[in-house]
Amino acid sequence: MAKASSKKINNIIMIVVCVASILLIGASVFIFADYTQKLHNGAGSIAIHNSDEMAENFSSVIEGYKQRSENLAKDLLATGMQNEEDFSINLSRIIREEGKGIKFARYFKGGEEYLPSGTPFNTEYESKKVIVGSKMEVSVCVGIVEDRVNSISMVAFCIPLKGCPYADCLVLFYHTGIIDEVKAPENSDTKSRLTAICTSEGEIVSILENSDLDISLHNNIYEFLRKTINDKSTIDDVQTTVTEGRSKAYTVSANGHETILAVSGIREYGSSHFSVFSIYRASDLYNAAYSTFTTLLGILALSFALLIFVAGYFIVNFRLSERRIKNLRERNELLDCPTVVKFEKVANEIMARNKNSSFAVTVVDIRHFDYMTEHMGEEQMINELKRMRDFYTRFLQVEETFGYAENGRFVLLLHYRDKEALGQRIKMLSTVLGIVKITNSGERITLSAYGGMSLSVYSSDISAEKMLDQAIIAENATKYPYDFEAFRIYNERLHSSTEMTEYIEVNMQSALENKLFRVFYQPKYNIEGNRPDGCEALVRWYNPETDEYMQPGLFLPIFEENRFIVKLDKYVYEQVCIYMSETVAQHKTLYPISVNVSRITAAEPDFLSYYTAIKNKYNIADNFIMIEFTESSAFEDYERLRETVNILHKNGFKCSIDDFGSGFSSYNILKELPMDEIKLDRFFIMRGFSDERDLKVLSSVIQLGRGLNMKVTQEGVETKDQMDMLKKLGCNVIQGYYYSKPLVQGDYDDFLTRKFMN
């Protein structure tokens, strides 16, 4: 009786265990099936993300060529055209000189199409897409077209020529090879079996990736899909997605394998001209989780213990993966130092522990990092970054930290009691870079730093993330090469820089017309001959409402971006010539004047002819105008600048290389370019000749310049000690506030009279 009772109890226990196991297994199946669906959805999202990124890359390439085409059209409209013959000549010339990559060009006038020579072109041979695009009021890429005359495929762009009496629209045909400039996403961990760019009709125009699919017999993606997946409804839906310019992922079976097909249509002005097709193995997108979970679903009914084991395995791996990801986010493997993520975390903790302390978040960037890396070599630049890392590690005090933010940028959290002491520490930050480097090609270049700071006072609740954002805003205000202030402190005025940019661009033309751009003259002093050595013409923007001048560091960078600098350079140059002509007419002593020329102005086709014509117009004697070029102009094209300098010399100009040592310094400039003057950047003296190494560098540059028969001028001289040292080292001329600040024309005349005429 007792045994039967015990057996019954055991049976009940077994039934309970079985029911519990069945319920647990069922629940596990449901949970894992749901998780598998999420993996499936995630795989589609990854495929779409990669496909969309490819579509964005493609759009950027097409937009770039459209912009290039619009610029060519602007150049055409800017030429002087008196009749249709001039139009045809100028069009042919511009296509020949500036139309790199263009196979053909035609234009429309009154619905008729013409060759650049003006010969009519039979529109029966023209693509309907081109004809439609020629009637649009905006520039448009009409897609791939077939040139029936030459039997080749090309990418066509229609650019309206508004206001042109000789043509309504310019049509430029580029080789389809421009599509090969589109690159697959470099940061994707998963490569596709096939990624191709196709027309909306399915024609394959470029294959970006192809690991194992044989597509050699197919020129049309839809034909390939019909052969591969054999699913008419899906293919029809794919065509609809492409036509509507949408993005969508499809799960299909291809040759017995579960496959993800991602499609991204690219719309422009109402039609889909191109599309990106990407094909992935589902298992590639699911990664290791796919095979593990599918295996797990098959054996759940056989072993509950295995279920627990596998679940535990994945939990452990998930934790390890999280830890690895966290380490990657918080530790830069290349430099073996904290990243910005780690910096922000530690900085917040430090500031929370020290509520009664004041902190500065400082951003330190290597000036022209990409350029320097290219010329020094990546290995040497990495060594420089490691040297900076070691310096900052030793430099930091207790409860301070730093991190590396990629592309030559370090961020630091520093204690400070007053701004003067902080300034001294910041100066030390830049000393780690102030050394001439020898590149692999033998060039000498100087690394320099710039940056920004955000300050917090004690008891403030500002976060490290917010302070870093503010420091970057301040740093962006130091990027213009004429700014001597290498590190700036954030303030609300810098925060309103966007509004300032809008104000500048809206008012720049009217300011030029109303002569609100005023020329200032900063005297130069010949310390060898104890006499004036002319001056440099500088520009300021006068605001009559506030009776203040806007500094050039605010508006010149914007003018260089929007090319208004060309107009301003020409305006300043003519004002200088007018002043020189008036000085001669009044029988006053005339001294040479240096005029700055931006790299954009120097690259203009009419630069030489215009500057020579203005000089002759005002009868300026030879050798009284010095044209100053920046180092960056020299690095862009040695040969072209050397030819420009030679022509300027023939026309009575002198030439100078400005800001030598500001970051691009290369002795190739001195070797290759026949300059009359070298102007040393303030960098050479800003540390006040603090050690023997500084003196040797400065002395060698001065002696090299003199040995090449160039006048050596030092900019930014502010103290008598600096002048005495420069005189001892053999420097010819100084310029800076020690001698005189920039002066308006009347004050400059009075300065010369008062200082040298009495």
Side-chain angles (χ1 to χ4, degrees), residues 5 12 67 84 149 160 190 197 232 249 336 449 452 475 479 502 507 571 629 639 644 663 701:
S5 177
I12 292 173
Q67 184 64 49
E84 293 183 3
V149 177
T190 305
I197 295 177
K232 184 178 183 304
D336 190 25
E475 177 198 48
K479 291 186 177 180
E502 293 177 354
N507 292 281
Y571 171 80
F629 299 94
E639 186 63 36
T644 298
V701 174

Side-chain angles (χ1 to χ4, degrees), residues 331-337 382 385-386 389 404 410:
R331 196 78 185 169
N332 184 285
E333 292 185 334
L334 184 65
L335 300 184
D336 190 25
C337 70
I382 291 174
L385 292 174
K386 289 181 178 178
R389 173 206 62 193
Y404 182 64
F410 285 89

Side-chain angles (χ1 to χ4, degrees), residues 218-316:
H218 304 278
N219 294 323
N220 189 286
I221 192 67
Y222 298 130
E223 292 180 2
F224 173 74
L225 292 177
R226 291 187 187 97
K227 294 285 187 180
T228 305
I229 66 177
N230 193 25
D231 187 339
K232 184 178 183 304
S233 62
T234 297
I235 295 174
D236 291 342
D237 192 67
V238 167
Q239 290 180 294
T240 301
T241 299
V242 170
T243 302
E244 295 176 354
R246 295 184 290 109
S247 299
K248 189 173 181 180
Y250 301 84
T251 302
V252 296
S253 176
N255 299 325
H257 298 285
E258 186 178 2
T259 301
I260 304 295
L261 168 64
V263 181
S264 293
I266 304 172
R267 293 177 62 87
E268 183 172 11
Y269 304 112
S271 63
S272 179
H273 299 146
F274 298 98
S275 53
V276 175
F277 285 79
S278 297
I279 297 176
Y280 297 86
R281 285 191 182 92
S283 57
D284 289 342
L285 294 176
Y286 295 159
N287 297 319
Y290 175 78
S291 58
T292 304
F293 277 101
T294 51
T295 302
L296 197 60
L297 286 170
I299 63 174
L300 275 174
L302 301 178
S303 177
F304 174 71
L306 183 60
L307 173 65
I308 300 299
F309 172 78
V310 174
Y313 171 80
F314 275 97
I315 290 173
V316 171

Side-chain angles (χ1 to χ4, degrees), residues 65-74 77 106-108 133-134 136-141 156-162 167-172 174:
Y65 276 91
K66 185 170 73 173
Q67 184 64 49
R68 181 185 299 180
S69 302
E70 290 176 340
N71 290 340
L72 190 147
K74 289 179 182 177
L77 293 175
R106 295 193 276 270
Y107 65 91
F108 282 83
S134 70
M136 292 188 176
E137 296 183 359
V138 294
S139 301
V140 62
C141 171
F157 293 83
C158 292
I159 313 298
L161 299 176
K162 297 180 180 179
D168 301 322
C169 175
L170 178 64
V171 185
L172 301 176
Y174 291 84

Side-chain angles (χ1 to χ4, degrees), residues 346-356 359 399 460 462:
V346 175
N348 282 324
E349 293 172 352
I350 291 174
M351 290 191 291
R353 289 194 298 267
N354 298 271
K355 288 288 187 179
N356 295 324
F359 290 93
E399 290 290 74
S460 64
I462 188 170

Side-chain angles (χ1 to χ4, degrees), residues 40 187 242 602 646:
H40 172 269
N187 59 349
V242 170
N646 288 333

Side-chain angles (χ1 to χ4, degrees), residues 284-472:
D284 289 342
L285 294 176
Y286 295 159
N287 297 319
Y290 175 78
S291 58
T292 304
F293 277 101
T294 51
T295 302
L296 197 60
L297 286 170
I299 63 174
L300 275 174
L302 301 178
S303 177
F304 174 71
L306 183 60
L307 173 65
I308 300 299
F309 172 78
V310 174
Y313 171 80
F314 275 97
I315 290 173
V316 171
N317 272 274
F318 179 75
R319 296 293 187 186
L320 292 175
S321 297
E322 275 191 330
R323 186 175 301 173
R324 284 194 293 268
I325 293 171
K326 181 180 179 181
N327 289 338
L328 289 174
R329 293 179 69 243
E330 296 188 350
R331 196 78 185 169
N332 184 285
E333 292 185 334
L334 184 65
L335 300 184
D336 190 25
C337 70
T339 64
V340 170
V341 174
K342 182 67 173 180
F343 166 81
E344 291 174 345
K345 179 180 178 180
V346 175
N348 282 324
E349 293 172 352
I350 291 174
M351 290 191 291
R353 289 194 298 267
N354 298 271
K355 288 288 187 179
N356 295 324
S357 298
S358 297
F359 290 93
V361 169
T362 304
V363 176
V364 182
D365 258 298
I366 296 177
R367 196 181 295 275
H368 310 299
F369 176 76
D370 291 337
Y371 174 86
M372 293 299 181
T373 301
E374 180 180 350
H375 281 69
M376 291 175 59
E378 186 174 353
E379 182 177 354
Q380 188 173 351
M381 178 56 77
I382 291 174
N383 290 334
E384 289 301 315
L385 292 174
K386 289 181 178 178
R387 188 167 64 85
M388 292 178 69
R389 173 206 62 193
D390 295 341
F391 177 84
Y392 295 145
T393 301
R394 298 190 305 271
F395 175 83
L396 295 181
Q397 301 173 3
V398 177
E399 290 290 74
E400 294 183 340
T401 187
F402 81 100
Y404 182 64
E406 305 294 342
N407 296 321
R409 170 180 291 174
F410 285 89
V411 293
L412 301 94
L413 178 74
L414 307 176
H415 283 287
Y416 78 96
R417 292 184 178 180
D418 57 71
K419 292 184 180 179
E420 182 177 354
L422 177 62
Q424 293 300 320
R425 294 195 72 191
I426 295 302
K427 283 186 178 180
M428 292 182 62
L429 296 179
S430 60
T431 61
V432 70
L433 286 174
I435 301 174
V436 176
K437 304 295 177 184
I438 309 298
T439 69
N440 295 332
S441 61
E443 291 183 281
R444 291 175 173 264
I445 62 176
T446 303
L447 294 180
S448 61
Y450 68 99
M453 289 176 283
S454 173
L455 308 183
S456 72
V457 297
Y458 64 91
S459 300
S460 64
D461 293 327
I462 188 170
S463 68
E465 293 85 353
K466 180 67 174 178
M467 292 180 69
L468 180 56
D469 290 341
Q470 292 177 350
I472 291 173

Side-chain angles (χ1 to χ4, degrees), residues 397-560:
Q397 301 173 3
V398 177
E399 290 290 74
E400 294 183 340
T401 187
F402 81 100
Y404 182 64
E406 305 294 342
N407 296 321
R409 170 180 291 174
F410 285 89
V411 293
L412 301 94
L413 178 74
L414 307 176
H415 283 287
Y416 78 96
R417 292 184 178 180
D418 57 71
K419 292 184 180 179
E420 182 177 354
L422 177 62
Q424 293 300 320
R425 294 195 72 191
I426 295 302
K427 283 186 178 180
M428 292 182 62
L429 296 179
S430 60
T431 61
V432 70
L433 286 174
I435 301 174
V436 176
K437 304 295 177 184
I438 309 298
T439 69
N440 295 332
S441 61
E443 291 183 281
R444 291 175 173 264
I445 62 176
T446 303
L447 294 180
S448 61
Y450 68 99
M453 289 176 283
S454 173
L455 308 183
S456 72
V457 297
Y458 64 91
S459 300
S460 64
D461 293 327
I462 188 170
S463 68
E465 293 85 353
K466 180 67 174 178
M467 292 180 69
L468 180 56
D469 290 341
Q470 292 177 350
I472 291 173
I473 291 174
E475 177 198 48
N476 289 336
T478 68
K479 291 186 177 180
Y480 189 61
Y482 299 152
D483 285 343
F484 292 143
E485 194 173 357
F487 288 83
R488 287 191 175 172
I489 298 175
Y490 171 84
N491 56 48
E492 289 302 321
R493 180 180 59 80
L494 294 177
H495 183 64
S496 61
S497 60
T498 300
E499 288 81 0
M500 177 60 73
T501 299
E502 293 177 354
Y503 171 84
I504 288 171
E505 293 192 330
V506 168
N507 292 281
M508 60 188 184
Q509 184 61 42
S510 62
L512 185 65
E513 295 170 355
N514 295 320
K515 297 186 176 181
L516 297 180
F517 291 106
R518 307 287 174 80
V519 180
F520 280 60
Y521 300 88
Q522 185 169 31
K524 299 192 291 186
Y525 177 57
N526 190 306
I527 55 179
E528 284 189 323
N530 190 29
R531 55 179 170 79
D533 200 77
C535 64
E536 178 181 0
L538 305 169
V539 65
R540 303 289 187 269
W541 184 344
Y542 177 67
N543 187 336
E545 296 180 0
T546 61
D547 192 28
E548 295 178 343
Y549 286 97
M550 187 188 304
Q551 293 300 310
L554 292 175
F555 58 83
L556 287 183
I558 298 172
F559 290 172
E560 289 198 344

